[in-house]
Structure formats: structure tokens, C-alpha cells
Amino acid sequence: MNVTSKHQLEIFSTKDTTRLHSRTEEDEEIVEEKNPLQSSRPMSLITHFFFFFFVFSIVSLFKISNSTPLKPHPLPILPLPSSQQLQWQLGSMAMFLHFGPNTFTDSEWGSGKADPSVFNPTHLNATQWVQIAKDSGFSRVILTAKHHDGFCLWPSEYTDYSVKSSPWRAGTGDVVAELASAAAAAGIGLGLYLSPWDRHEGSYGETLGYNEYYLSQMTELLTKYGEIKEVWLDGAKGKGEKYMEYFFDTWFSLIHQLQPGAVIFSDAGPDVRYIGNENGVAGSTCWYSLEGDGFGQDWVPAECDISIRPGWFWHALESPKPAVQLLDIYYNTVGRNCLFLLNVPPNSSGLISEQDIKVLEEFREIKTSVFSNNLARKAAVNSSSVRGGQSSKFGPKNVLEEGLDKYWAPEEKQKEWELYFEFQDSVSFNVLEVQEPIQMGQRVASFHLETRNIGSGKWTRVVNGTTVGLKRLLRFPRVESRSLKLVVDKARTDPLISYVGIYMDKFSVSSRNSSKITITRTLQEEQQLISERLTT
């Protein structure tokens, strides 16, 4: 025991007088020589306290000074989506509701001359519309508040050609109000379509007069019905109709002023754009921009609209598309970085038809069956590199967690961008899902998937893809393997991958006829296939 320890024993054992007096004179001299401060016993305690505090502080500072600073997130690449655009695209699917006098006159483009008395949906139930949309996985509903015929589904103060002149609810009804209330109660978004082309309004064709009329009606819709998530405009107009100059810039500014949380859809944005057809098919390459390439200056994602029936309005003799066709449309819209806008028109009684409901239920079931089981979660995931070597922050395991907050980021200035998936047992699949964290910009220009043969160890390419965006889904003939490799071939800058999924689809037409599908196609071949589909 050292001298200091002896003295500590002396302090804490003062009752043991025999032991205290047993110290030798030599011990006392050493104590006096080595520890002059110990002449005061309380001071000895204070000294040791500060001694240990000093040592602890030095060690702590040493640890801090030698810790490795975290590497920051990579710089986003412009352009970036606004918060409204990001929320809109994360919604994936929206339901269009074409409803009005055309529903009762067996028409598509009304003349604007139908008597308001034809509009009388005796069993109208907006809560049914909303509940069906929500149960089927749609994030919002969009109502044709006014179609080309000019008839208003709300009691506008600027025209008598509206529900207030109809027998429905004895002229006191308001379809927009009932839908807004139902949507708010269900917690899904509300969008409104206000047709620029108006075949009833007498001022149509008068530049100033009609723009004032249109903006007055737009103001009614955006100030009386709560939060509006999307305002939908199109450029439809029949041949030979009056020339009309629309003040689009003024319209857009007013909409953003009155509903700052809304996105505006039109043929060319400003927030959401038309995909170029009404067939529910986006191009196999789908960038964020109007220009259709990775060089655009503005973020304007695409929306794909198509009707569940042949027509946009309900017609008694028409039937809905089968569920497997809706699944195919889902692959070609949501699976190509777009939003899927499906029109489900209420019938003349004011309800969504049972035929349509059954199809939507089946669509939900088969879509859930395919995408609820990500087989990739069974794999051990590795990568060619990790940004800053920080696996916990940018590591490859992040791609198995849903959401955009976490992602795999490779180290900077690498020649290879690869993710590896190793399974204990072989897995069979025929669908690949890849997602980018689009809040950081759209980056990937091309990628492919490979599987490795267990016997030879040789890698074989399974499928090619171009752009990714929020979500890319690729189908191919069923493959079986224990080792997969996802390779990013080209990107605008270092790629970021937020999610990877592999699935077995036993339902879609392409899956059932997979033996006839070419595994790999050139971009030219992909574009040719799309062109053929659009012309059939």
C-alpha cells in the first residue's frame, strides 16, 4: 500500500488508535516529504476530488478531439420538388369523378344547352365516393366542378346554369360542399376541375369578360370549401369553337395565392403536367421535366389520367376494365415515376356502380398481394462503397426500409455503383422495384439487374431500366437465384437509392405471358413498343 493510501486509511479509521500509533517515524518523514498538504485532512479529500475530475476531463477531451466527424449528406441536385409536389407524388393514385348533366344525357361533351332539370341524382352520396376511393388506396378525389358544358355543381353566384336551377335537393344542393365535407371527414385530399372551355357562358370568346368570369368562379371554389389539394385544368376544346385567350399566368398566381398548398395540373404545368395521352401509359423513360430529359430547369412531374370505363362519364351500356388491366396501368404509371389518376364516374343515381366497386376491390387485393411481400428483405445487403464509410447513415441496408429519409449513398468519385443481395436460399421473382429519394433530385439515367448462377458463378443480366424517380417497376420472366446485383450505369451525379424491392406477380398479363417477353431491350425498342401501344 502506498503512503497516500495509508494516510487515507488514517483519515477514515480514526477510531483505530492502535493502528494509527503503529506507524514508524520513517513513515512520518515520508508522509511529510511526499505529501506536505496532508497536514490538513479535509484538504486531502478536496485534492483527490479535483485530481480525479481533472483526469476525467482530459480523457473526455481526448475522446472528443479524436472522434471522426460525420460526413454530411450529399448536395441535392436541382431542380427539386416543392413540398406540395412531393406530397402529391407520394400519394401515387388519385380518383377522378366525372359527374354532371352528361351523366343523365348519355353524353361526353355536353353542348351547354341541356336543361338543368335533367340533373337529379336522387341517391347522391359523396361519402360513398370518398370511402370507396380511400378503401381502394387513392390519396385524393378530383371532381369536375364544371365540365365543358358550363354546368356548375355548386350554386355559383355568377350563373344560373348550376345545381340551384335543378330539382336536386329542391335547388338547394351543393355537390362540391358535400364532397368537401366527406373528404375532410375521411382524411383524404380534395381536388377540383374547372373547365376553361365553357360552351354555355355567353362571355366565352371575350378576352377580358370571360377571364373575369372564370377567375370569379375559381375564387368561389378556392375560398368556400376548405383546403384544396389540386386544381385541374385542361386544354380541351372542340374544332370550330370560338377563339379564346386564357390569362394562364394570372390564373396560376391567383390559385397559388388562395390555396398555397395546392398543385396545379395543366398540359404544361406549372406544378403537374399532362403525360401526353389518356391511355394510362407513361414512357419507359420519364424525367421530372417538361423537356423530357435530365436537363430541364423546372420540376414538373407527370400525371396519367384514364377512365375505368370507355367513357369519362357514366353510361349504362358500358362496363369497367378488369382489375388485371388496372394493375397493368399501375405498372405503366406509378411504376414509371408518375401519378395514376383513375376516373370512376358516379352513375345517374349519384352512386359509384357496383360493377366498378367490385373491380376496385379486386384491384386493391391483387396489388396488395404482389407488393406486400418484399422478398429482398430476406437478403444480406452490401454495396461497392458507402459515403464516408458511414454504414449506419448511408449504408446499403437503408434500401430495405420504406420511406425517403434513409438511402444508400456511394462514396464520391467512384467508377462503380452497385448493390449486392445475398440470400440463404434461392428466391423466385419477376418484378423489380427501385426508388430514389426525390427530395434530393432525380439522378439515375440507366440501371440494370443481374443474377448469379450458383454453379458457374457467372453473372447474367435480367432486365434494363432507364430513369427511376420516385418509383420504377420492371417486369420480366420469372428468375430464381441466391445472388442479385443492382447496377447503376449512368446518373446525373452520384446516385442515391432509397428502396429496392423484388416481388412475385402471378396476376398481371405480362407475368402470365412472360415467356413471350424479351428480357432486355434497347431504349429504341422500348420506345417502339410504347408507340405501338399508343396507336392500338
Side-chain angles (χ1 to χ4, degrees):
M1 181 179 293
N2 59 36
V3 176
T4 305
S5 298
K6 280 186 176 183
H7 193 61
Q8 285 177 316
L9 285 172
E10 181 181 25
I11 294 172
F12 292 106
S13 306
T14 53
K15 293 183 180 181
D16 190 353
T17 55
T18 304
R19 185 171 183 178
L20 285 172
H21 291 293
S22 67
R23 292 188 304 165
T24 63
E25 292 182 1
E26 182 180 357
D27 291 335
E28 292 294 340
E29 291 175 0
I30 294 173
V31 169
E32 292 175 1
E33 180 182 350
K34 298 289 186 180
N35 298 283
L37 293 177
Q38 288 184 352
S39 58
S40 173
R41 290 176 182 176
M43 283 300 294
S44 176
L45 286 173
I46 295 171
T47 301
H48 284 287
F49 170 78
F50 281 107
F51 173 75
F52 286 116
F53 178 77
F54 175 76
V55 172
F56 175 78
S57 300
I58 293 298
V59 172
S60 299
L61 289 171
F62 180 78
K63 288 182 178 179
I64 294 172
S65 63
N66 283 273
S67 63
T68 303
L70 291 177
K71 187 141 187 172
H73 286 270
L75 191 70
I77 182 170
L78 297 177
L80 301 178
S82 67
S83 60
Q84 297 94 325
Q85 289 172 319
L86 189 59
Q87 183 187 48
W88 170 86
Q89 195 157 4
L90 288 171
S92 297
M93 300 193 303
M95 182 179 286
F96 222 162
L97 299 164
H98 275 65
F99 190 57
N102 294 347
T103 307
F104 303 86
T105 60
D106 202 29
S107 305
E108 282 293 303
W109 281 7
S111 65
K113 298 178 181 179
D115 193 292
S117 64
V118 303
F119 185 81
N120 191 22
T122 54
H123 295 90
L124 188 145
N125 186 345
T127 299
Q128 186 231 25
W129 306 352
V130 167
Q131 195 60 50
I132 289 169
K134 184 175 182 179
D135 291 346
S136 302
F138 295 86
S139 61
R140 62 186 58 183
V141 291
I142 302 174
L143 175 69
T144 55
K146 183 188 79 170
H147 203 252
H148 310 322
D149 60 0
F151 185 86
C152 299
L153 295 184
W154 79 102
S156 174
E157 295 180 356
Y158 301 97
T159 182
D160 290 329
Y161 199 56
S162 73
V163 288
K164 66 184 178 184
S165 298
S166 76
W168 176 66
R169 304 270 198 266
T172 63
D174 187 335
V175 181
V176 177
E178 292 189 23
L179 182 62
S181 176
I188 70 172
L190 174 65
L192 296 173
Y193 169 103
L194 187 66
S195 172
W197 181 30
D198 191 322
R199 304 185 78 178
H200 178 84
E201 171 57 32
S203 66
Y204 189 84
E206 301 173 10
T207 301
L208 180 60
Y210 184 72
N211 275 282
E212 290 178 340
Y213 173 80
Y214 186 87
L215 284 179
S216 295
Q217 289 198 324
M218 181 67 77
T219 300
E220 285 184 316
L221 291 174
L222 301 187
T223 58
K224 294 183 177 182
Y225 299 103
E227 185 177 16
I228 306 300
K229 288 295 188 179
E230 184 167 351
V231 176
W232 220 89
L233 320 172
D234 65 7
K237 188 169 74 170
K239 293 181 180 180
E241 294 289 331
K242 297 177 184 178
Y243 172 78
M244 182 69 223
E245 180 185 355
Y246 303 132
F247 292 171
F248 282 119
D249 289 342
T250 305
W251 296 6
F252 297 159
S253 295
L254 181 70
I255 293 168
H256 280 148
Q257 178 193 95
L258 298 178
Q259 289 287 343
V263 295
I264 303 172
F265 169 93
S266 77
D267 291 356
D271 302 314
V272 180
R273 63 185 166 92
Y274 178 52
I275 195 59
N277 65 74
E278 295 178 347
N279 301 321
V281 179
S284 60
T285 297
C286 189
W287 287 100
Y288 57 83
S289 65
L290 287 170
E291 294 82 359
D293 56 34
F295 302 100
Q297 299 300 307
D298 299 306
W299 187 279
V300 191
E303 187 168 64
C304 301
D305 57 319
I306 187 172
S307 184
I308 195 171
R309 290 167 171 254
W312 288 95
F313 286 87
W314 176 84
H315 304 283
L317 298 180
E318 292 182 352
S319 298
K321 296 173 174 62
V324 290
Q325 188 172 349
L326 297 186
L327 182 62
D328 191 58
I329 295 169
Y330 180 85
Y331 278 109
N332 292 328
T333 55
V334 176
R336 291 182 174 177
N337 193 34
C338 298
L339 186 135
F340 178 14
L341 176 58
L342 179 66
N343 179 62
V344 183
N347 59 30
S348 57
S349 68
L351 300 171
I352 292 177
S353 299
E354 284 298 320
Q355 281 182 297
D356 299 4
I357 295 173
K358 289 179 181 179
V359 168
L360 291 171
E361 288 175 347
E362 186 180 355
F363 169 57
R364 179 198 63 202
E365 290 171 2
I366 62 177
K367 182 166 69 70
T368 301
S369 177
V370 173
F371 295 106
S372 62
N373 182 22
N374 182 4
L375 300 173
R377 289 199 176 101
K378 300 178 181 179
V381 190
N382 289 293
S383 59
S384 52
S385 65
V386 175
R387 180 177 174 84
Q390 297 168 191
S391 294
S392 60
K393 191 171 185 179
F394 301 118
K397 291 183 181 179
N398 288 341
V399 303
L400 299 182
E401 297 185 32
E402 294 189 63
L404 301 181
D405 294 337
K406 292 185 177 182
Y407 49 82
W408 167 64
E411 187 58 277
E412 298 173 281
K413 300 178 182 179
Q414 299 297 302
K415 294 182 179 180
E416 294 182 342
W417 300 316
E418 298 177 346
L419 284 166
Y420 308 98
F421 300 82
E422 292 290 336
F423 298 83
Q424 288 187 348
D425 301 307
S426 294
V427 292
S428 296
F429 60 97
N430 57 7
V431 176
L432 169 68
E433 176 182 3
V434 185
Q435 295 186 25
E436 291 183 86
I438 58 173
Q439 77 275 14
M440 304 291 286
Q442 190 176 351
R443 299 166 178 246
V444 177
S446 64
F447 66 99
H448 70 269
L449 179 70
E450 298 180 19
T451 60
R452 186 170 60 188
N453 184 281
I454 298 175
S456 66
K458 182 179 179 181
W459 288 97
T460 302
R461 186 173 296 209
V462 175
V463 67
N464 296 323
T466 52
T467 49
V468 175
L470 178 62
K471 182 177 292 189
R472 186 64 191 271
L473 296 171
L474 294 174
R475 290 174 288 179
F476 40 84
R478 184 181 64 85
V479 295
E480 183 176 351
S481 181
R482 289 174 53 186
S483 303
L484 312 180
K485 179 167 61 174
L486 180 67
V487 181
V488 177
D489 300 301
K490 294 180 181 179
R492 296 169 66 212
T493 185
D494 291 340
L496 306 175
I497 303 296
S498 59
Y499 194 68
V500 175
I502 57 171
Y503 311 94
M504 175 55 72
D505 178 358
K506 301 177 182 179
F507 304 98
S508 69
V509 175
S510 297
S511 298
R512 294 201 303 266
N513 299 325
S514 60
S515 60
K516 299 180 181 180
I517 300 176
T518 304
I519 296 178
T520 59
R521 303 185 181 110
T522 64
L523 178 57
Q524 183 178 3
E525 289 171 334
E526 286 280 351
Q527 292 172 338
Q528 179 63 30
L529 285 172
I530 294 297
S531 177
E532 290 174 356
R533 293 193 64 169
L534 295 180
T535 56
T536 57

